[in-house]
Amino acid sequence: MKSLASITDKDIETIKMALNDSISDINVELKNTKSTTKKDNLLQYKGKYTRVLEKLRQNPSIYALVETDLDLAATGLNDAIELLEEFMTDDLTEQEKNDFINYKTDCQRLLEVLAR
């Protein structure tokens, strides 16, 4: 069983990348959303993801995060996995496909660790 202690510096970078990808996706959704309620929800998630991302930038350790931050990191990882599945298309090069698969695998592994 993996624990938080098994999370490496490379894993922290993966979490930060996933949060950043999720924030970028929220920014795209905000541009295309008309509903005030949906915009408010998206802005709340963007703020939460940004707060966790900033914590990890200031102190790149999983122990810098409280339990609710860990939950948000897991949600960001899950969102990144969904984005990867959405953008995994046949027109990618083999290298791009491999990069996507490796990133997705890392996100899934970290999601499992954080879900415990």
Side-chain angles (χ1 to χ4, degrees), residues 48-75:
K48 291 175 183 180
Y49 286 166
T50 301
R51 181 179 49 79
V52 173
L53 181 58
E54 287 305 314
K55 280 186 177 182
L56 288 174
R57 285 181 176 154
Q58 291 174 6
N59 183 2
S61 167
I62 200 68
Y63 297 110
L65 305 179
V66 296
E67 188 173 342
T68 55
D69 295 338
L70 293 172
D71 291 343
L72 287 166
T75 304

mmCIF file of all heavy atoms in Angstrom, residues 48-75:
data_model
loop_
_atom_site.group_PDB
_atom_site.id
_atom_site.type_symbol
_atom_site.label_atom_id
_atom_site.label_comp_id
_atom_site.label_asym_id
_atom_site.label_seq_id
_atom_site.Cartn_x
_atom_site.Cartn_y
_atom_site.Cartn_z
ATOM 1 N N LYS A 48 -9.921 27.459 -5.701
ATOM 2 C CA LYS A 48 -9.435 26.376 -4.836
ATOM 3 C C LYS A 48 -8.205 25.703 -5.437
ATOM 4 O O LYS A 48 -7.219 25.450 -4.742
ATOM 5 C CB LYS A 48 -10.545 25.348 -4.608
ATOM 6 C CG LYS A 48 -11.678 25.874 -3.754
ATOM 7 C CD LYS A 48 -12.807 24.860 -3.664
ATOM 8 C CE LYS A 48 -13.976 25.405 -2.863
ATOM 9 N NZ LYS A 48 -15.076 24.435 -2.774
ATOM 10 N N TYR A 49 -8.275 25.391 -6.738
ATOM 11 C CA TYR A 49 -7.127 24.769 -7.397
ATOM 12 C C TYR A 49 -5.914 25.696 -7.358
ATOM 13 O O TYR A 49 -4.786 25.258 -7.122
ATOM 14 C CB TYR A 49 -7.440 24.434 -8.859
ATOM 15 C CG TYR A 49 -8.350 23.247 -9.085
ATOM 16 C CD1 TYR A 49 -8.927 23.044 -10.332
ATOM 17 C CD2 TYR A 49 -8.634 22.331 -8.088
ATOM 18 C CE1 TYR A 49 -9.751 21.952 -10.580
ATOM 19 C CE2 TYR A 49 -9.457 21.246 -8.325
ATOM 20 C CZ TYR A 49 -10.014 21.060 -9.569
ATOM 21 O OH TYR A 49 -10.823 19.985 -9.817
ATOM 22 N N THR A 50 -6.138 26.981 -7.579
ATOM 23 C CA THR A 50 -5.049 27.952 -7.578
ATOM 24 C C THR A 50 -4.409 28.026 -6.193
ATOM 25 O O THR A 50 -3.181 28.085 -6.071
ATOM 26 C CB THR A 50 -5.559 29.335 -8.018
ATOM 27 O OG1 THR A 50 -6.106 29.217 -9.336
ATOM 28 C CG2 THR A 50 -4.454 30.376 -8.016
ATOM 29 N N ARG A 51 -5.218 27.992 -5.150
ATOM 30 C CA ARG A 51 -4.700 28.047 -3.780
ATOM 31 C C ARG A 51 -3.806 26.843 -3.495
ATOM 32 O O ARG A 51 -2.704 26.982 -2.952
ATOM 33 C CB ARG A 51 -5.857 28.110 -2.784
ATOM 34 C CG ARG A 51 -5.427 28.195 -1.332
ATOM 35 C CD ARG A 51 -6.619 28.290 -0.379
ATOM 36 N NE ARG A 51 -7.663 27.316 -0.603
ATOM 37 C CZ ARG A 51 -7.608 26.047 -0.205
ATOM 38 N NH1 ARG A 51 -6.551 25.578 0.404
ATOM 39 N NH2 ARG A 51 -8.626 25.230 -0.433
ATOM 40 N N VAL A 52 -4.245 25.651 -3.876
ATOM 41 C CA VAL A 52 -3.451 24.446 -3.654
ATOM 42 C C VAL A 52 -2.171 24.492 -4.497
ATOM 43 O O VAL A 52 -1.081 24.163 -4.002
ATOM 44 C CB VAL A 52 -4.275 23.171 -3.968
ATOM 45 C CG1 VAL A 52 -3.407 21.923 -3.899
ATOM 46 C CG2 VAL A 52 -5.455 23.063 -3.015
ATOM 47 N N LEU A 53 -2.294 24.922 -5.734
ATOM 48 C CA LEU A 53 -1.126 25.036 -6.610
ATOM 49 C C LEU A 53 -0.099 25.992 -6.010
ATOM 50 O O LEU A 53 1.105 25.697 -5.992
ATOM 51 C CB LEU A 53 -1.562 25.494 -8.000
ATOM 52 C CG LEU A 53 -0.472 25.653 -9.051
ATOM 53 C CD1 LEU A 53 0.288 24.359 -9.275
ATOM 54 C CD2 LEU A 53 -1.082 26.152 -10.362
ATOM 55 N N GLU A 54 -0.545 27.119 -5.500
ATOM 56 C CA GLU A 54 0.364 28.096 -4.895
ATOM 57 C C GLU A 54 1.043 27.525 -3.650
ATOM 58 O O GLU A 54 2.224 27.766 -3.416
ATOM 59 C CB GLU A 54 -0.361 29.402 -4.573
ATOM 60 C CG GLU A 54 -0.685 30.220 -5.797
ATOM 61 C CD GLU A 54 0.547 30.528 -6.652
ATOM 62 O OE1 GLU A 54 1.590 30.933 -6.112
ATOM 63 O OE2 GLU A 54 0.450 30.342 -7.883
ATOM 64 N N LYS A 55 0.300 26.758 -2.855
ATOM 65 C CA LYS A 55 0.901 26.116 -1.682
ATOM 66 C C LYS A 55 2.033 25.188 -2.104
ATOM 67 O O LYS A 55 3.096 25.158 -1.486
ATOM 68 C CB LYS A 55 -0.138 25.320 -0.894
ATOM 69 C CG LYS A 55 -1.002 26.145 0.010
ATOM 70 C CD LYS A 55 -1.894 25.230 0.840
ATOM 71 C CE LYS A 55 -2.735 25.991 1.815
ATOM 72 N NZ LYS A 55 -3.557 25.110 2.653
ATOM 73 N N LEU A 56 1.794 24.422 -3.172
ATOM 74 C CA LEU A 56 2.823 23.482 -3.640
ATOM 75 C C LEU A 56 4.001 24.209 -4.279
ATOM 76 O O LEU A 56 5.125 23.713 -4.243
ATOM 77 C CB LEU A 56 2.223 22.469 -4.606
ATOM 78 C CG LEU A 56 1.313 21.431 -3.967
ATOM 79 C CD1 LEU A 56 0.648 20.567 -5.034
ATOM 80 C CD2 LEU A 56 2.079 20.567 -2.978
ATOM 81 N N ARG A 57 3.748 25.360 -4.870
ATOM 82 C CA ARG A 57 4.853 26.149 -5.428
ATOM 83 C C ARG A 57 5.723 26.716 -4.313
ATOM 84 O O ARG A 57 6.940 26.767 -4.437
ATOM 85 C CB ARG A 57 4.319 27.278 -6.309
ATOM 86 C CG ARG A 57 3.828 26.805 -7.645
ATOM 87 C CD ARG A 57 3.344 27.950 -8.495
ATOM 88 N NE ARG A 57 2.950 27.481 -9.815
ATOM 89 C CZ ARG A 57 2.060 28.091 -10.575
ATOM 90 N NH1 ARG A 57 1.471 29.209 -10.160
ATOM 91 N NH2 ARG A 57 1.757 27.604 -11.757
ATOM 92 N N GLN A 58 5.097 27.139 -3.232
ATOM 93 C CA GLN A 58 5.831 27.708 -2.107
ATOM 94 C C GLN A 58 6.567 26.639 -1.312
ATOM 95 O O GLN A 58 7.672 26.867 -0.835
ATOM 96 C CB GLN A 58 4.891 28.482 -1.182
ATOM 97 C CG GLN A 58 4.350 29.744 -1.790
ATOM 98 C CD GLN A 58 3.305 30.395 -0.900
ATOM 99 O OE1 GLN A 58 3.047 29.981 0.214
ATOM 100 N NE2 GLN A 58 2.683 31.457 -1.420
ATOM 101 N N ASN A 59 5.941 25.497 -1.152
ATOM 102 C CA ASN A 59 6.525 24.403 -0.383
ATOM 103 C C ASN A 59 6.208 23.099 -1.119
ATOM 104 O O ASN A 59 5.155 22.516 -0.905
ATOM 105 C CB ASN A 59 5.949 24.373 1.033
ATOM 106 C CG ASN A 59 6.559 23.301 1.896
ATOM 107 O OD1 ASN A 59 7.449 22.570 1.475
ATOM 108 N ND2 ASN A 59 6.069 23.195 3.119
ATOM 109 N N PRO A 60 7.105 22.650 -1.995
ATOM 110 C CA PRO A 60 6.828 21.466 -2.824
ATOM 111 C C PRO A 60 6.892 20.156 -2.042
ATOM 112 O O PRO A 60 7.728 19.297 -2.280
ATOM 113 C CB PRO A 60 7.897 21.546 -3.909
ATOM 114 C CG PRO A 60 9.007 22.323 -3.307
ATOM 115 C CD PRO A 60 8.391 23.248 -2.318
ATOM 116 N N SER A 61 5.984 20.036 -1.088
ATOM 117 C CA SER A 61 5.877 18.826 -0.279
ATOM 118 C C SER A 61 4.400 18.509 -0.106
ATOM 119 O O SER A 61 3.582 19.408 0.118
ATOM 120 C CB SER A 61 6.524 19.044 1.088
ATOM 121 O OG SER A 61 6.173 18.000 1.968
ATOM 122 N N ILE A 62 4.079 17.244 -0.177
ATOM 123 C CA ILE A 62 2.685 16.828 -0.002
ATOM 124 C C ILE A 62 2.212 17.174 1.403
ATOM 125 O O ILE A 62 1.034 17.404 1.641
ATOM 126 C CB ILE A 62 2.506 15.326 -0.332
ATOM 127 C CG1 ILE A 62 1.038 15.008 -0.640
ATOM 128 C CG2 ILE A 62 3.048 14.447 0.776
ATOM 129 C CD1 ILE A 62 0.520 15.612 -1.894
ATOM 130 N N TYR A 63 3.164 17.288 2.341
ATOM 131 C CA TYR A 63 2.809 17.599 3.724
ATOM 132 C C TYR A 63 2.485 19.079 3.920
ATOM 133 O O TYR A 63 2.060 19.477 4.996
ATOM 134 C CB TYR A 63 3.924 17.144 4.664
ATOM 135 C CG TYR A 63 4.110 15.650 4.602
ATOM 136 C CD1 TYR A 63 5.237 15.090 4.024
ATOM 137 C CD2 TYR A 63 3.125 14.784 5.082
ATOM 138 C CE1 TYR A 63 5.394 13.719 3.945
ATOM 139 C CE2 TYR A 63 3.264 13.412 4.998
ATOM 140 C CZ TYR A 63 4.403 12.881 4.435
ATOM 141 O OH TYR A 63 4.544 11.523 4.349
ATOM 142 N N ALA A 64 2.641 19.881 2.883
ATOM 143 C CA ALA A 64 2.242 21.289 2.940
ATOM 144 C C ALA A 64 0.728 21.420 2.809
ATOM 145 O O ALA A 64 0.177 22.490 3.045
ATOM 146 C CB ALA A 64 2.929 22.073 1.827
ATOM 147 N N LEU A 65 0.065 20.327 2.462
ATOM 148 C CA LEU A 65 -1.371 20.357 2.198
ATOM 149 C C LEU A 65 -2.155 19.746 3.354
ATOM 150 O O LEU A 65 -1.775 18.710 3.893
ATOM 151 C CB LEU A 65 -1.685 19.590 0.912
ATOM 152 C CG LEU A 65 -0.942 20.035 -0.344
ATOM 153 C CD1 LEU A 65 -1.342 19.158 -1.520
ATOM 154 C CD2 LEU A 65 -1.192 21.502 -0.646
ATOM 155 N N VAL A 66 -3.254 20.401 3.700
ATOM 156 C CA VAL A 66 -4.186 19.848 4.675
ATOM 157 C C VAL A 66 -5.118 18.879 3.941
ATOM 158 O O VAL A 66 -5.103 18.794 2.712
ATOM 159 C CB VAL A 66 -4.973 20.962 5.403
ATOM 160 C CG1 VAL A 66 -4.040 21.837 6.221
ATOM 161 C CG2 VAL A 66 -5.779 21.790 4.437
ATOM 162 N N GLU A 67 -5.940 18.196 4.699
ATOM 163 C CA GLU A 67 -6.793 17.157 4.112
ATOM 164 C C GLU A 67 -7.672 17.671 2.977
ATOM 165 O O GLU A 67 -7.801 17.025 1.936
ATOM 166 C CB GLU A 67 -7.650 16.506 5.191
ATOM 167 C CG GLU A 67 -8.411 15.293 4.690
ATOM 168 C CD GLU A 67 -9.120 14.558 5.803
ATOM 169 O OE1 GLU A 67 -8.792 14.741 6.977
ATOM 170 O OE2 GLU A 67 -10.021 13.773 5.464
ATOM 171 N N THR A 68 -8.278 18.838 3.142
ATOM 172 C CA THR A 68 -9.138 19.366 2.077
ATOM 173 C C THR A 68 -8.318 19.702 0.833
ATOM 174 O O THR A 68 -8.811 19.558 -0.286
ATOM 175 C CB THR A 68 -9.917 20.613 2.539
ATOM 176 O OG1 THR A 68 -8.999 21.589 3.035
ATOM 177 C CG2 THR A 68 -10.929 20.268 3.620
ATOM 178 N N ASP A 69 -7.062 20.139 1.025
ATOM 179 C CA ASP A 69 -6.179 20.409 -0.109
ATOM 180 C C ASP A 69 -5.832 19.112 -0.839
ATOM 181 O O ASP A 69 -5.749 19.090 -2.066
ATOM 182 C CB ASP A 69 -4.882 21.085 0.345
ATOM 183 C CG ASP A 69 -5.112 22.473 0.921
ATOM 184 O OD1 ASP A 69 -6.148 23.087 0.618
ATOM 185 O OD2 ASP A 69 -4.231 22.933 1.672
ATOM 186 N N LEU A 70 -5.631 18.044 -0.076
ATOM 187 C CA LEU A 70 -5.351 16.744 -0.702
ATOM 188 C C LEU A 70 -6.537 16.289 -1.542
ATOM 189 O O LEU A 70 -6.359 15.750 -2.641
ATOM 190 C CB LEU A 70 -5.005 15.700 0.367
ATOM 191 C CG LEU A 70 -3.701 15.906 1.125
ATOM 192 C CD1 LEU A 70 -3.597 14.909 2.275
ATOM 193 C CD2 LEU A 70 -2.504 15.789 0.191
ATOM 194 N N ASP A 71 -7.739 16.525 -1.033
ATOM 195 C CA ASP A 71 -8.948 16.186 -1.796
ATOM 196 C C ASP A 71 -9.010 16.993 -3.090
ATOM 197 O O ASP A 71 -9.362 16.463 -4.152
ATOM 198 C CB ASP A 71 -10.208 16.444 -0.973
ATOM 199 C CG ASP A 71 -10.372 15.477 0.183
ATOM 200 O OD1 ASP A 71 -9.713 14.406 0.183
ATOM 201 O OD2 ASP A 71 -11.144 15.793 1.110
ATOM 202 N N LEU A 72 -8.656 18.276 -3.007
ATOM 203 C CA LEU A 72 -8.649 19.119 -4.206
ATOM 204 C C LEU A 72 -7.574 18.677 -5.190
ATOM 205 O O LEU A 72 -7.794 18.689 -6.404
ATOM 206 C CB LEU A 72 -8.449 20.586 -3.824
ATOM 207 C CG LEU A 72 -9.664 21.247 -3.181
ATOM 208 C CD1 LEU A 72 -9.273 22.568 -2.529
ATOM 209 C CD2 LEU A 72 -10.754 21.456 -4.218
ATOM 210 N N ALA A 73 -6.421 18.272 -4.676
ATOM 211 C CA ALA A 73 -5.359 17.757 -5.549
ATOM 212 C C ALA A 73 -5.853 16.508 -6.281
ATOM 213 O O ALA A 73 -5.624 16.344 -7.479
ATOM 214 C CB ALA A 73 -4.097 17.462 -4.750
ATOM 215 N N ALA A 74 -6.554 15.639 -5.554
ATOM 216 C CA ALA A 74 -7.101 14.426 -6.170
ATOM 217 C C ALA A 74 -8.136 14.787 -7.236
ATOM 218 O O ALA A 74 -8.153 14.190 -8.326
ATOM 219 C CB ALA A 74 -7.723 13.523 -5.102
ATOM 220 N N THR A 75 -8.967 15.766 -6.955
ATOM 221 C CA THR A 75 -9.966 16.205 -7.932
ATOM 222 C C THR A 75 -9.280 16.774 -9.168
ATOM 223 O O THR A 75 -9.696 16.506 -10.300
ATOM 224 C CB THR A 75 -10.918 17.245 -7.308
ATOM 225 O OG1 THR A 75 -11.507 16.682 -6.140
ATOM 226 C CG2 THR A 75 -12.004 17.654 -8.276
#
